[in-house]
Amino acid sequence: MSESLPVVSQPQPPTGFDDAGFDELVTGLERWSGSLPDWPPGRRVRAEWDEVAARLDRARRELSRVLVVGVIGGTGTGKSTLVNALAGRDVSPAGDVARPTTVAPVVVVARDVDCSWLSLDGVGARVVTSDAPAVANIVLVDCPDPDTQGVDREATGPGPSTRPSDTNHNRDLLEKILPACDVLLLVATAQKYRSWSVASEVAAFAPGRPLLFVQTHASRDPDIRDDWRRELGRQGIDAPAVHRVDGLEAARRAAAGLEPEAGFAGLVRAIDEELVGRAARRVRRTGALDLAGWFLRQSGAQLDPYRQPVVDLTAGIAAERARLEGLMGKAVAGKLKASRPAWQRIMQDELVERWHGGPFAMFLHAIAALGSMWPRLRAGGLFGRVLSGQGLPHVAAGDGAWQSIEEVGLAEADVEQTRSILVGLAARAAIGEPMTGRVRLDESAVQSSVGTLMERTGNWLVGGVDRLVAARRDRVDSSLVRTACELVFSGVILAVLGRAAWNFFYGHLWMGRPVGGLGFLQEALVWIVLLGLLLRWVVFARIRAGLDQDIAALVTRLPGARLVDPFLQDFSTASAEVAAFLEVGDTLARRHEALASRVEEGRSSLGRLKGPGG
Amino acid sequence: LVNPAAPSPHFTAAPAGERPQSRYASWAGNIGELCGLVESLAVVAAEIGEPPPTDAEWYGQLFGKLRPQVTRDPVLVAAVCGGTNTGKSLITNVLVGGEISRSVPEAARTRCAVASLPRGLAGGIDLAALFPGFTPRPWTDGDDALGGTEQGDDLLFWREDPSGRQPERLILVDTPDVDGTLRENWQRAEAVRNACDVIIALLTQQKYNDAAVRDFFAAAAAANKSLIVVFNMVSWPAQRQRIAGWLSTFNAETGAAPLAVYAVPHDFARAEAGAIEFFQLPELTGGVADAAAGPVDLAAALSGVDFDRIKLRAMEGAYRVVLDSKSGMGGWLDRLEASSRQWQEARGVLAEEARVRVELPAAPRELVWSEIWDWLEPKRSRLDLGLTRVYRMAGSGVAWLGRRVGIGRTAEERQDDFAAIELAALKHALAEFIDRLDAACRRNPRLGTLLGNTLVQGDRASWYADLERRHAALPMVSDDYRTFVRGELDRFSRENPKFLQLLLTGLSLGSVARPCVTVGLFLAGSVAVPAAAAGHGLATLVHTAGDWVVCAAAPLAGEGVLGLTMAGLKPLIERLFAGWSAERSRALTETLHDVVLGDRLEEIDRRAGAAARPEVARARRLLHECGLEFSR
């Protein structure tokens, strides 16, 4: 009746395990998990990693140490009986007198094995030695059961107010012991293989711990191994082999020194082949790799809900930046277009600087000189100062800071609106203080942000205005226009002078007609000045042509200057950091997958947690 | 071969007394009303974040046992319950005398309850009412219980006993397990447990002390169900002496006092054949051990129990569970009230924190003035019309000149400027409001549960867009405001005969109002805002309260100001400006109420008032009255 299912294949050597790759992965995980401590999900990932890292570290340090096999299962399933059979003598009390039987865990070691490294403090473990070959190269721990300790019930729950089981802490003990185990030997009977309390403990401790499965009570119970394997599959556990033994019979034969029956012999052989020597190293390595994979799956599940919100936040930042830049662009274009006198003055300065010599040039100089006799109105604000070539304005402190950017189209309320919207989007991605600031910037932040914005805007404007002026300089320099203007202007002057000369020499001196007085010259001067002004207007009109379009084009280049970034800096930095964190996590998961696929073919008959249960 | 059941003290008939049916009838009214109250309060409880009472023992007894059974002809329900693979189906089949529920080697396969009814009962009983939560289906074969496909429904298959041996008022039910990995099975077993009077507790040496099994039977014992313990798969008679120890552990853990204890020897062949044997252990229930006694007929023993007495015991037990001051319905009401108090606190936090002072720009004077002028128009015969006209013309001339030199603005431009500044002020206030709500949610976790999601998942960009839209749609002067102004002026002129003279003084002084409006939630004692701002269908939960500063603008106003104050004109002008400003802030309050918060405020109000609902007081009184019967 007792036999082992012939699923166990000859274990393969761990040819595919990439030690260097795995070390690199662990280093990467270490760095990654701690890289974003200000982000709560990142912090949770780190907290999980701290537990996993300790185990991974131990697995690597203790690569050649014997494996600790924890025997777990519901009460009455025959854990102690099985341990006694494996130990070859009665080391752990077993029986049917009272449930639970095992209260203090029993650690079975071979006589020559030093197990001082096994830390089982505070669990009252009893260490016994055994010469049995089955436990010669492993440490076997008979664990308390998980199913007799009550849940933390309220004092008002049903039943007696005090129960004998109130002093039962078997599950607590079990949960202290299992972290020290490398492999779990899961014992079940027909009555208990679908036990909820056992399943929940296994779910908690199976990550990174290979599993051995044993159905006991083989002589009394029907064979439920196929159904058990289905149930394990539902819990996400892959169970290639399930052993079936009769513990009582095995213990009796072991004590009597008889040949073990087939099922038990199969279990002993599996322990020998899967958990001893080179196999132990492989178990530790693949266990560590599985643990890292489990950690990555857990973190992935932890982080998945934030992927879309981070994308939304990034999009929201772009949208808000565009909104603020739109407001700015509108104001800047309006202000530049409205500053007609300032443009006029700039062009005049250019003309005066470049045109010398001819009479028209002299005329222009004269007009400019006359204009300069009026004191120039002190240009205020950013635009006035930029267009008049004065330095950038100083940003006032306090509320004045906000007032100083109102002329570039931004109000405190607009910035607050943006930040309020972004705070909401960031909260969806669990991003908050200290990664990002408050909706309302504090005074120093306002001061520095506004200062940066004004400085950038000023520099950008200076550059833009310079480009606009430079584009017009060619038109100023055009010798054709200049020559034409000079010709027309000097022509008229020459004509007037010629006519005056004719009148004087021919009419007066020769013909003896009386001198016409200054009247003619006065009238001529008026016409000359008017002509000069007309020409000046034409020249300016030519230079100014297309200014509005050029200003519009200048404003379209505003987003490239990243002028409003100071107000969004904290959000864009935070979203970039989180996005990078997610990206690195994905990269590590892919790297783990590559490592895992290399060792897949070297798998043994041990069970393992593959993924979340169905 | 089979001995008749050895009578145990519990199995003897009760002394003749009042018929239990009449007691049930006296309970029926109260139980019906309690159920109604619980149903309506459960909705409130769910709203205020209390976990549903449906998982509580008292709820199970009230709805699963008392309500369905108090008005009906009493039937006795006996259920076979226990852990996975302990042989529940096998025992049921033996009790029924045929394979009603398939017994298979795999564990946790029984997923549906299966009931065996006495012959002729099916037509006269409403099984859906007797077993609330279950859908009754006629039985076809033993595989019904296995649930065939992955049916999520809670099915109850029923069959009338074909042999006719089943006692006429006894219903026997096989249940799913109470400790397996499928939690739905636990719930089904608990539902049957609540409805039944007698439980055949199936224990094994592996499971009698498992926490899940213990808890299940402890609840049954607390509700005074009668327990018959059957230890299955016993190595008989080797383990006979052990059973006393197992049972005393079980009794101490669960508080149970079984009517009788039986042992079923482990015998694979007999189990296969459905012919297992029950050995009674009378020494464990106060009787005398008889080591030589043979197997007994459990089915016959079951039909020998005193139905009325056991039924009454179970009904009373269920009632006591409901009436228990701590773990019963009273405890639930306590928690509901405590929860409601927390919502009152939350409401307080909101009233305190969610309050924003909106600094609106000074109102363009001409808007309010022109309304006053319009009102004055028909009365102007008595005024110095000429003077007014001169003032107006001179004023418009100056304004024209100002515009020409670029320092004056047209009325439209001024209104645009005003609207832009006002919108900025409203947006600023909205941002601050959201910030304060965030802070309030952080301070009060209850608020967090209700508003946190709104604040985080809400599309804030659309809130601002909504505010902009509402603000743009707001006319500078609404009809409501016009009516309000006229009403105020009419009233004032009736009360003050020299009013017109005063008003003119006031007007020429050019009073300027600097409005400052406070928008808050649940503002207690907020200033009654003029009709213009109230009564627009806006809930009374977003309040606008105003402090308005009215001062004289003209420097030569010393005497005039005095006159204003003396004549009580100042409050009038304050109100006129106040009404206008309050109306302006309506865009914000409407956005807050309609878009940002939705109906959350009403909900908070409702939750805060949950404890004060009449149902709570009525339920308390009823519980007290019902309790009197049991304390006597």
Side-chain angles (χ1 to χ4, degrees):
Chain A
M1 193 158 172
S2 304
E3 79 276 11
S4 172
L5 285 188
V7 187
V8 187
S9 59
Q10 207 56 31
Q12 307 277 317
T15 47
F17 198 89
D18 177 0
D19 272 314
F22 183 67
D23 284 351
E24 214 175 285
L25 178 71
V26 171
T27 319
L29 286 171
E30 167 75 28
R31 206 174 316 130
W32 171 66
S33 62
S35 63
L36 207 49
D38 286 339
W39 190 45
R43 213 157 42 228
R44 287 199 289 277
V45 166
R46 178 65 188 189
E48 204 143 77
W49 170 253
D50 284 341
E51 282 176 24
V52 168
R55 275 183 64 194
L56 285 177
D57 189 48
R58 224 185 54 210
R60 284 196 295 176
R61 272 190 290 112
E62 302 171 351
L63 201 53
S64 47
R65 200 167 271 168
V66 295
L67 291 173
V68 180
V69 180
V71 182
I72 69 165
T75 182
T77 51
K79 295 181 296 298
S80 298
T81 311
L82 184 68
V83 167
N84 289 342
L86 288 168
R89 66 190 182 94
D90 280 359
V91 292
S92 183
D96 57 4
V97 179
R99 298 262 83 90
T101 321
T102 302
V103 178
V106 177
V107 180
V108 184
V109 291
R111 205 171 291 280
D112 53 348
V113 170
D114 169 32
C115 68
S116 53
W117 46 269
L118 188 62
S119 61
L120 288 171
D121 301 332
V123 295
R126 189 161 55 84
V127 180
V128 297
T129 54
S130 163
D131 298 322
V135 294
N137 293 299
I138 57 169
V139 173
L140 200 61
V141 185
D142 183 15
C143 300
D145 67 274
D147 48 13
T148 55
Q149 181 184 337
V151 286
D152 301 326
R153 71 200 168 99
E154 286 178 39
T156 55
S161 53
T162 56
R163 304 167 162 191
S165 62
D166 290 345
T167 55
N168 182 325
H169 299 294
N170 276 10
R171 196 176 57 242
D172 299 341
L173 267 179
L174 175 70
E175 289 173 2
K176 280 187 194 157
I177 298 163
L178 288 183
C181 299
D182 303 304
V183 178
L184 303 181
L185 195 157
L186 190 53
V187 178
T189 61
Q191 282 183 45
K192 292 217 161 169
Y193 71 98
R194 277 178 184 268
S195 157
W196 179 82
S197 59
V198 176
S200 49
E201 293 304 318
V202 170
F205 290 95
R209 290 191 176 88
L211 299 141
L212 269 168
F213 306 94
V214 179
Q215 182 197 348
T216 51
H217 294 197
S219 61
R220 284 166 67 100
D221 290 354
D223 187 344
I224 46 78
R225 285 179 295 174
D226 284 337
D227 194 46
W228 190 11
R229 216 179 281 138
R230 273 195 294 278
E231 169 65 22
L232 288 167
R234 219 177 51 78
Q235 296 169 20
I237 294 169
D238 177 38
V242 178
H243 302 275
R244 186 160 183 268
V245 304
D246 193 83
L248 274 174
E249 175 67 11
R252 195 183 59 77
R253 280 171 174 260
L258 297 171
E259 195 65 21
E261 34 99 39
F264 186 72
L267 174 64
V268 173
R269 197 167 53 242
I271 289 173
D272 201 41
E273 284 167 357
E274 302 275 6
L275 305 178
V276 171
R278 284 170 60 88
R281 295 174 74 91
R282 187 192 58 211
V283 163
R284 277 193 207 285
R285 279 181 170 134
T286 50
L289 190 59
D290 279 352
L291 184 61
W294 175 82
F295 165 72
L296 278 163
R297 274 201 307 280
Q298 290 290 108
S299 330
Q302 181 92 256
L303 298 176
D304 273 343
Y306 300 103
R307 289 178 191 276
Q308 192 52 42
V310 170
V311 173
D312 292 346
L313 175 62
T314 312
I317 292 170
E320 284 303 313
R321 178 183 285 136
R323 191 181 69 86
L324 290 182
E325 282 167 349
L327 289 173
M328 247 185 116
K330 219 171 119 191
V332 166
K335 281 267 159 57
L336 286 178
K337 284 177 192 168
S339 307
R340 211 183 145 96
W343 287 112
Q344 195 82 1
R345 196 158 46 241
I346 291 174
M347 288 161 201
Q348 177 166 294
D349 291 350
E350 287 288 320
L351 276 178
V352 166
E353 197 174 303
R354 277 148 204 280
W355 286 15
H356 294 285
F360 184 60
M362 281 166 68
F363 176 77
L364 290 177
H365 278 252
I367 299 258
L370 275 174
S372 67
M373 285 172 72
W374 273 282
R376 279 185 187 180
L377 283 173
R378 187 101 193 119
L382 182 66
F383 291 88
R385 295 180 72 99
V386 165
L387 289 174
S388 63
Q390 303 168 47
L392 297 176
H394 183 71
V395 174
D399 282 349
W402 286 117
Q403 275 161 21
S404 64
I405 59 162
E406 267 170 25
E407 69 164 322
V408 294
L410 294 183
E412 183 181 7
D414 291 315
V415 175
E416 265 183 14
Q417 175 180 348
T418 288
R419 293 187 62 85
S420 171
I421 290 170
L422 293 182
V423 162
L425 286 172
R428 261 184 243 179
I431 296 172
E433 288 179 278
M435 293 180 87
T436 56
R438 305 286 305 265
V439 169
R440 190 162 212 183
L441 294 167
D442 60 44
E443 205 167 305
S444 63
V446 171
Q447 196 68 24
S448 69
S449 308
V450 168
T452 316
L453 176 107
M454 289 304 271
E455 193 185 326
R456 284 190 193 178
T457 311
N459 290 334
W460 174 77
L461 265 181
V462 169
V465 169
D466 280 353
R467 262 202 307 283
L468 252 63
V469 172
R472 280 164 173 75
R473 217 166 266 152
D474 292 343
R475 301 185 198 163
V476 175
D477 285 342
S478 159
S479 51
L480 188 71
V481 176
R482 194 174 153 185
T483 316
C485 287
E486 289 291 0
L487 279 177
V488 172
F489 195 69
S490 357
V492 173
I493 291 175
L494 284 177
V496 167
L497 287 180
R499 180 61 200 257
W502 175 265
N503 281 351
F504 180 74
F505 290 109
Y506 176 72
H508 179 59
L509 284 184
W510 189 256
M511 300 293 286
R513 282 188 290 236
V515 180
L518 285 173
F520 166 73
L521 277 180
Q522 277 168 0
E523 276 177 32
L525 187 65
V526 167
W527 288 111
I528 288 171
V529 168
L530 283 178
L531 178 71
L533 288 175
L534 177 70
L535 284 176
R536 182 176 177 271
W537 181 83
V538 167
V539 168
F540 277 138
R542 184 170 176 278
I543 296 175
R544 212 176 41 232
L547 185 66
D548 283 0
Q549 287 94 309
D550 286 2
I551 288 174
L554 173 67
V555 168
T556 59
R557 288 196 298 274
L558 189 141
R562 301 263 153 192
L563 299 181
V564 298
D565 280 12
F567 293 122
L568 316 172
Q569 197 59 56
D570 45 350
F571 292 102
S572 44
T573 307
S575 78
E577 277 174 357
V578 172
F581 186 78
L582 295 175
E583 177 59 39
V584 173
D586 292 345
T587 312
L588 290 169
R590 279 195 298 277
R591 211 187 295 168
H592 173 268
E593 225 165 80
L595 287 174
S597 67
R598 285 185 58 170
V599 294
E600 205 60 42
E601 66 275 17
R603 286 289 172 194
S604 66
S605 68
L606 295 175
R608 55 192 277 257
L609 185 68
K610 285 201 115 161
Chain B
L1 180 76
V2 172
N3 292 341
S8 111
H10 293 282
F11 281 66
T12 52
E18 59 167 336
R19 271 173 54 77
Q21 279 90 327
S22 61
R23 278 194 80 187
Y24 303 155
S26 74
W27 295 350
N30 285 351
I31 286 171
E33 190 176 353
L34 274 180
C35 287
L37 290 168
V38 170
E39 275 167 347
S40 65
L41 284 175
V43 180
V44 181
E47 259 184 4
I48 64 177
E50 265 300 301
T54 43
D55 290 342
E57 289 301 331
W58 66 265
Y59 187 94
Q61 297 304 330
L62 183 60
F63 286 86
K65 174 132 197 99
L66 290 175
R67 184 165 75 166
Q69 297 183 13
V70 78
T71 51
R72 291 187 167 77
D73 279 345
V75 288
L76 197 73
V77 181
V80 181
C81 304
T84 59
N85 237 353
T86 49
K88 294 177 295 300
S89 299
L90 177 66
I91 301 285
T92 309
N93 291 340
V94 171
L95 287 176
V96 170
E99 193 175 45
I100 189 169
S101 178
R102 180 87 66 235
S103 174
V104 293
E106 291 87 24
R109 288 293 302 280
T110 303
R111 296 165 59 93
C112 304
V114 182
S116 172
L117 312 181
R119 188 182 280 177
L121 185 67
I125 194 167
D126 182 359
L127 282 173
L130 189 62
F131 295 98
F134 285 99
T135 312
R137 291 268 171 85
W139 179 90
T140 50
D141 65 21
D143 287 338
D144 286 348
L146 308 185
T149 56
E150 294 290 310
Q151 281 160 323
D153 311 336
D154 299 323
L155 299 180
L156 178 124
F157 291 97
W158 60 270
R159 184 188 77 162
E160 283 193 350
D161 172 35
S163 68
R165 279 183 313 172
Q166 196 165 320
E168 62 171 324
R169 276 159 56 211
L170 178 70
I171 297 178
L172 266 168
V173 190
D174 182 27
T175 63
D177 65 87
V178 302
D179 63 349
T181 44
L182 293 174
R183 295 298 288 248
E184 310 89 277
N185 281 354
W186 301 31
Q187 285 151 11
R188 289 170 193 150
E190 282 165 10
V192 174
R193 176 193 68 195
N194 291 339
C196 76
D197 305 287
V198 180
I199 290 185
I200 295 153
L202 203 48
L203 305 177
T204 62
Q205 71 98 356
Q206 276 184 45
K207 289 203 168 174
Y208 71 87
N209 199 20
D210 281 6
V213 173
R214 280 183 335 224
D215 288 347
F216 181 87
F217 290 116
N224 249 352
K225 314 277 183 194
S226 300
L227 249 63
I228 295 173
V229 170
V230 175
F231 278 98
N232 193 12
M233 295 183 247
V234 177
S235 296
W236 191 260
Q239 285 180 320
R240 179 172 185 147
Q241 299 312 314
R242 297 262 188 267
I243 292 177
W246 302 346
L247 185 75
S248 72
T249 303
F250 177 76
N251 288 351
E253 291 286 352
T254 57
L259 296 185
V261 180
Y262 297 87
V264 176
H266 181 271
D267 188 329
F268 198 71
R270 275 183 170 279
E272 287 277 277
I276 53 169
E277 294 175 315
F278 295 87
F279 290 91
Q280 197 177 3
L281 301 163
E283 68 272 24
L284 300 180
T285 48
V288 182
D290 179 6
V296 296
D297 182 352
L298 181 58
L302 204 54
S303 40
V305 299
D306 179 349
F307 280 20
D308 281 344
R309 186 169 155 167
I310 284 181
K311 181 88 207 170
L312 182 61
R313 191 180 122 110
M315 292 294 273
E316 276 186 350
Y319 218 162
R320 279 180 201 279
V321 169
V322 175
L323 296 177
D324 189 282
S325 61
K326 281 207 190 74
S327 63
M329 187 176 154
W332 180 64
L333 289 176
D334 290 345
R335 285 191 296 282
L336 194 134
E337 281 175 335
S339 224
S340 177
R341 269 196 298 282
Q342 287 177 342
W343 280 107
Q344 283 165 15
E345 268 168 46
R347 193 182 185 280
V349 168
L350 215 51
E352 196 179 307
E353 304 243 324
R355 182 187 293 200
V356 173
R357 236 169 118 87
V358 192
E359 308 252 352
L360 290 169
R365 273 172 52 196
E366 69 271 14
L367 290 172
V368 179
W369 285 156
S370 69
E371 289 311 306
I372 299 175
W373 281 120
D374 286 352
W375 177 80
L376 280 175
E377 203 68 44
K379 305 172 178 63
R380 275 173 70 187
S381 54
R382 288 158 55 196
L383 298 171
D384 186 349
L385 278 171
L387 186 66
T388 320
R389 201 168 300 131
V390 169
Y391 273 145
R392 278 193 156 183
M393 280 174 63
S396 60
V398 169
W400 179 85
L401 202 67
R403 284 199 295 280
R404 286 308 301 161
V405 297
I407 52 173
R409 311 269 284 164
T410 63
E412 288 74 34
E413 281 171 338
R414 270 206 306 278
Q415 287 187 8
D416 285 350
D417 292 350
F418 170 79
I421 299 172
E422 189 184 53
L423 179 60
L426 292 176
K427 280 184 173 180
H428 179 76
L430 179 58
E432 195 175 342
F433 216 98
I434 297 169
D435 203 28
R436 277 166 176 271
L437 283 175
D438 269 335
C441 287
R442 277 195 295 274
R443 224 182 92 180
N444 187 301
R446 291 265 170 179
L447 280 182
T449 59
L450 186 67
L451 292 179
N453 201 39
T454 309
L455 290 171
V456 170
Q457 299 298 334
D459 179 6
R460 296 189 180 194
S462 74
W463 299 347
Y464 284 94
D466 181 78
L467 179 63
E468 280 176 27
R469 199 170 43 70
R470 282 180 203 269
H471 181 258
L474 201 63
M476 272 293 165
V477 176
S478 72
D479 290 342
D480 285 328
Y481 180 64
R482 218 155 260 155
T483 320
F484 165 69
V485 168
R486 273 142 210 264
E488 285 290 308
L489 290 172
D490 283 341
R491 192 170 58 73
F492 197 82
S493 65
R494 273 199 307 280
E495 290 167 5
N496 300 275
K498 286 172 74 184
F499 161 71
L500 287 176
Q501 205 54 49
L502 283 168
L503 186 62
L504 271 188
T505 320
L507 295 189
S508 55
L509 288 175
S511 308
V512 167
R514 231 172 51 72
C516 190
V517 177
T518 300
V519 174
L521 308 180
F522 307 119
L523 270 189
S526 61
V527 177
V529 157
H536 284 90
L538 195 66
T540 50
L541 300 171
V542 180
H543 291 288
T544 321
D547 340 308
W548 292 273
V549 187
V550 175
C551 58
L556 54 142
E559 200 185 334
V561 167
L562 195 69
L564 275 180
T565 319
M566 298 293 279
L569 191 59
K570 189 163 176 262
L572 169 75
I573 295 184
E574 275 178 358
R575 262 208 309 286
L576 295 186
F577 276 96
W580 190 77
S581 303
E583 215 188 35
R584 300 305 292 173
S585 64
R586 230 176 73 202
L588 176 64
T589 50
E590 282 178 356
T591 297
L592 277 176
H593 183 266
D594 296 356
V595 183
V596 178
L597 296 169
D599 53 5
R600 302 292 192 289
L601 294 183
E602 283 86 342
E603 207 163 323
I604 290 174
D605 223 25
R606 214 166 44 241
R607 292 177 184 193
R613 286 173 71 114
E615 289 99 320
V616 177
R618 178 70 195 139
R620 289 247 183 242
R621 211 162 41 245
L622 261 181
L623 287 176
H624 178 71
E625 282 167 17
C626 301
L628 289 178
E629 181 181 341
F630 285 91
S631 59
R632 272 200 298 273

